[in-house]
Amino acid sequence: MTATLQAVSPDLIQALQAALGADHVFTDRERLEPFGRDETEDLHVWPEVAVFPGSTAEVQAVVRLAAKHQVPIVARGGGTGLSGGAIPVRGGIVLSTRRMNEILELDEANLVAVVQPGIVTQTFQETVEAKGLFYPPDPASRGSCVIGGNLAECAGGPRCVKYGVTRDYVLGLEVVLASGEVIRTGGKLYKDVTGYNLTQLFVGSEGTLGIITEATLRLIPLPPLNKTLMAPFPTLDQAAQAVSRIFQAGITPSACELLSQAALNATEEHLGKKFPREISEAAASLLLEVDGFHDDDVERDALRLGEVCLEVGAEDVLLAGTPERARELWGIRRSMGEAVKSQGDYREYDVAVPRALMPDALRAIDAVLEPLGLRALSYGHAGDGNLHVNVLRDALSAEAWAAALEQTGPAVVNAIVKLGGTISGEHGIGWIQRGLLGLQLSPANLALQRGIKASFDPHGILNPDKVLPPG
Ligand SMILES: Cc1cc2nc3c(=O)[nH]c(=O)nc-3n(C[C@H](O)[C@H](O)[C@H](O)COP(=O)(O)OP(=O)(O)OC[C@H]3O[C@@H](n4cnc5c(N)ncnc54)[C@H](O)[C@@H]3O)c2cc1C
């Protein structure tokens, strides 16, 4: 489907400059360099041109030109993706939404916001929070990723265990299709069953079906109170058992994160500070949070959370008595991504399994890695059964590392699929995982997905070579 894609010609550059103004079209290598990467390992592929439209009409103009010249076009948000989604692997045009960063409407009566795709997630969240409203999806990258990228990846985060993921907050979209036509889906509607649900098809489609130019997002009232706890456990199984027991006890925490000892120790090393002994020596710890609107409810839930952890065998429960202490505990979790990076080359698997099978998943992955002499730093959103397993290259040569990855990918996926799990819980398939899709999805399922792609993008210009496997 992508065989006829063309290189960017001088004519196309001229047409892009005429459509957007020369200031909003980059062609020199120095300024193009950052648009060849995202946060996925150390991958880089040069785009031929990067463009910065300021309106839906300008996005339309760029897409029409890409369609006319049969050139690849890759939408880009904050560039924080972890599956290579925004990397222009076939060259062509990178379309950054960074100039389209406005909140167009904050409709407090309907609890809805209408936003452009380039608004930074944290900026949007802080703006609505100042009005007592809440947009919960909170990827740990929220200070640098944007809503368009979150929609395209269906981003999750720690709070999703209670509040749901990005797709649960999307009521409607405006999308520029591969032809350059614009469609609107949904609206400020909490109920709408008219036709197929295209809104939800675009969410998580990683820029392969259309370019999102506006989103209508659901908001909820902001719970003003919360309590944070950390509970270290002598075994991984006990930590996982505590997670199941918390939900069985009727408490839905607003965060429930699992931190393995190896990941905690790497974070200590990265931050250059020692955590309390109970935490740094525990096989696994849970970072828990409860929130709500009434002091009594939040106190009671926090107390009950601690009791459940102790009943299952936690060595201690550390309750953050002040917001500063809570921030410190969260700081440990939020530094883990950087701590992994500081260890050198790594490959992240973002698998999800039924919640109670997390220890089986980690053991199965260890069984794959051990014979290859590899180790992993693991942590994740335990309440969702979503684990970030970071396999480290350590001292392997580049060739041995590449060979090891050839084996670990399929082996990890097979082990996870056997447990009823999935290749990606929230980071997407993008470029680096597409070769693994056939291990999880049946040929009939894949054929249907190829048909969807072909009907939205018959010439394969939108983010080519992403999500679907070759062939
Ligand atoms: C330190 C760190 C922590 C992270 N933590 C989390 C986490 O907790 N949870 C989580 O889910 N993810 C997390 N991520 C991954 C990443 O931040 C998310 O996938 C995020 O949603 C990507 O948003 P972005 O704006 O950076 O998108 P980009 O990386 O720019 O793009 C991602 C994909 O979206 C497409 N895209 C971008 N904009 C549009 C648009 N307007 N229309 C159509 N397609 C578009 C791109 O083509 C690409 O395929 C983390 C990343 C880092 C580096």
Side-chain angles (χ1 to χ4, degrees):
M1 202 167 43
T2 57
T4 59
L5 291 177
Q6 306 295 318
V8 171
S9 64
D11 279 357
L12 174 55
I13 302 276
Q14 250 181 19
L16 289 167
Q17 286 168 338
L20 305 185
D23 285 354
H24 303 308
V25 179
F26 290 178
T27 52
D28 58 293
R29 293 209 24 120
E30 199 184 327
R31 286 190 301 171
L32 279 183
E33 201 280 339
F35 297 95
R37 66 176 80 255
D38 59 8
E39 289 292 329
T40 313
E41 298 152 25
D42 53 356
L43 307 172
H44 185 271
V45 180
W46 286 97
E48 291 161 273
V49 55
V51 300
F52 305 86
S55 65
T56 301
E58 289 190 356
V59 173
Q60 267 190 297
V62 175
V63 175
R64 284 203 169 115
L65 285 168
K68 179 173 162 206
H69 290 256
Q70 295 289 286
V71 162
I73 179 162
V74 180
R76 181 181 178 92
T80 68
L82 292 173
S83 54
I87 300 178
V89 298
R90 297 282 296 259
I93 303 169
V94 167
L95 182 152
S96 162
T97 58
R98 74 181 182 196
R99 288 178 62 217
M100 297 174 69
N101 59 9
E102 300 286 326
I103 298 177
L104 300 174
E105 191 186 350
L106 196 47
D107 178 347
E108 294 182 58
N110 284 306
L111 290 180
V112 161
V114 181
V115 303
Q116 291 187 307
I119 187 161
V120 172
T121 308
Q122 186 170 350
T123 307
F124 173 56
Q125 286 173 325
E126 288 174 353
T127 307
V128 302
E129 280 168 24
K131 305 234 174 233
L133 299 174
F134 192 28
Y135 176 73
D138 63 336
S141 51
R142 70 194 190 110
S144 37
C145 63
V146 303
I147 292 292
N150 295 168
L151 292 164
E153 296 289 352
C154 188
R159 288 176 192 148
C160 298
V161 60
K162 176 167 182 181
Y163 291 104
V165 295
T166 299
R167 72 165 71 259
D168 299 309
Y169 292 86
V170 187
L171 299 175
L173 294 174
E174 178 189 81
V175 181
V176 175
L177 302 176
S179 60
E181 280 166 291
V182 180
I183 60 163
R184 298 189 78 89
T185 70
K188 294 181 184 175
L189 301 167
Y190 285 88
K191 288 177 114 178
D192 177 10
V193 292
T194 306
Y196 296 125
N197 193 336
L198 296 186
T199 307
Q200 294 297 344
L201 187 54
F202 284 115
V203 174
S205 66
E206 305 191 33
T208 62
L209 301 182
I211 298 184
I212 298 164
T213 46
E214 189 186 296
T216 303
L217 302 174
R218 182 167 81 91
L219 305 172
I220 57 177
L222 176 70
L225 305 168
N226 60 54
K227 289 249 174 251
T228 302
L229 306 83
M230 194 140 175
F233 289 84
T235 67
L236 177 64
D237 286 273
Q238 282 164 298
Q241 208 187 337
V243 174
S244 297
R245 289 276 294 278
I246 286 167
F247 289 94
Q248 286 164 347
I251 310 164
T252 305
S254 47
C256 178
E257 301 283 298
L258 178 81
L259 319 173
S260 74
Q261 186 180 27
L264 277 162
N265 295 161
T267 310
E268 283 182 308
E269 195 183 310
H270 174 65
L271 296 176
K273 67 177 181 193
K274 278 302 258 175
F275 302 150
R277 187 197 52 79
E278 309 89 299
I279 293 177
S280 50
E281 290 179 10
S285 295
L286 291 181
L287 176 63
L288 299 158
E289 186 192 83
V290 282
D291 69 358
F293 291 86
H294 305 288
D295 268 326
D296 291 353
D297 294 347
V298 176
E299 286 288 339
R300 189 199 53 226
D301 283 353
L303 205 67
R304 186 71 193 114
L305 270 189
E307 283 168 4
V308 172
C309 290
L310 291 170
E311 281 160 24
V312 178
E315 296 184 6
D316 199 355
V317 174
L318 315 178
L319 173 67
T322 60
E324 291 70 40
R325 186 79 188 109
R327 266 197 294 278
E328 270 175 44
L329 292 179
W330 273 105
I332 298 177
R333 168 64 183 88
R334 295 204 194 281
S335 306
M336 272 186 177
E338 286 306 314
V340 169
K341 282 197 158 181
S342 69
Q343 302 277 320
D345 289 346
Y346 67 100
R347 168 61 55 92
E348 174 167 1
Y349 298 102
D350 156 50
V351 298
V353 292
R355 199 191 278 150
L357 295 182
M358 271 183 303
D360 305 67
L362 288 172
R363 271 192 289 271
I365 292 171
D366 278 347
V368 167
L369 300 182
E370 224 175 87
L372 297 167
L374 294 169
R375 65 188 178 110
L377 301 183
S378 305
Y379 57 90
H381 312 302
D384 302 322
N386 182 194
L387 294 164
H388 301 318
V389 178
N390 300 279
V391 181
L392 303 180
R393 172 174 159 189
D394 285 334
L396 281 192
S397 68
E399 299 74 44
W401 174 235
L405 287 182
E406 290 284 310
Q407 292 185 50
T408 53
V412 166
V413 170
N414 282 327
I416 292 302
V417 169
K418 227 181 252 171
L419 294 170
T422 183
I423 298 174
S424 179
E426 58 180 23
H427 295 166
I429 297 301
W431 188 30
I432 62 167
Q433 306 213 86
R434 71 188 192 117
L436 301 172
L437 215 62
L439 297 175
Q440 182 177 332
L441 303 182
S442 69
N445 187 327
L446 271 180
L448 203 54
Q449 302 216 16
R450 285 189 206 285
I452 291 170
K453 169 71 177 170
S455 106
F456 278 75
D457 181 19
H459 304 294
I461 59 168
L462 290 175
N463 210 1
D465 292 358
K466 302 291 170 62
V467 183
L468 296 172

